[in-house]
Amino acid sequence: MDDSRTVSILLLGDPGCGKSTLLSRLSQGQHAPKVPGPLPTLHDLDQPFIFEISMYNRPYRFEFYDTSCPENYTLLQPDFVILCFDVTDRRSLTNVPQVWRKDVTRYYRRDGDDPPLMMLGLKRDARVEEDGVIYPQEGYRIAQEMRCDRYAECSAATGELISEVFEDIARTAAKTKTDAGGLTQGGCVLM
């Protein structure tokens, strides 16, 4: 495959926020939301997790990296970064702008620009209506403040919105290989 269509995608977020479960669900392919039983266990040594798809009449190779192996992720030069948080854990959300967004600027800025960013709320199925709950509007507002290009939520455990999130990731990732790039003009897009 043409290296110009290989896109490296880095998932950043607190341990336990659901990044590995998301990749495990995506590894089930196009039927990911409907696959019964336990999800496969992914191992750090298997990185990158490869997804080959066809979009816009062209083949693309998406190489996903998970930060569960913290000593190596700062050495990557991703084309696209997904900032992940657990919608049931306020600390996880707080760390997105205070820790992970700052890491993007510190380690991945090229030619004065950060790579395209998506903010992704995980564990949507576990959201409970109570004091302190993180609603999508709050996540979206924070994504806008951080100048993310996209905001979405899904549940890797149940498969809720997985197909839609992967499609949004794929479209943004594919755009990183165009002259226009994957950065959104004018602000954050809510999926």
Side-chain angles (χ1 to χ4, degrees), residues 20-29 35-43:
S20 297
T21 306
L22 171 69
L23 288 173
S24 186
R25 175 64 70 181
L26 292 176
S27 75
Q28 298 295 294
V35 175
L39 294 171
T41 302
L42 302 178
H43 303 283

Side-chain angles (χ1 to χ4, degrees), residues 129-141:
E129 303 288 325
E130 60 183 32
D131 287 344
V133 67
I134 302 167
Y135 288 104
Q137 299 89 330
E138 182 179 2
Y140 179 63
R141 179 185 53 78

Side-chain angles (χ1 to χ4, degrees), residues 154-167:
C154 66
S155 169
T158 65
E160 178 187 10
L161 296 175
I162 283 289
S163 296
E164 293 84 354
V165 165
F166 185 73
E167 184 176 323

Side-chain angles (χ1 to χ4, degrees), residues 136-176:
Q137 299 89 330
E138 182 179 2
Y140 179 63
R141 179 185 53 78
I142 292 171
Q144 286 180 310
E145 289 170 0
M146 293 187 306
R147 303 189 50 82
C148 290
D149 299 287
R150 296 258 185 270
Y151 177 80
E153 291 185 0
C154 66
S155 169
T158 65
E160 178 187 10
L161 296 175
I162 283 289
S163 296
E164 293 84 354
V165 165
F166 185 73
E167 184 176 323
D168 205 37
I169 290 170
R171 284 185 180 163
T172 304
K175 287 179 184 176
T176 66

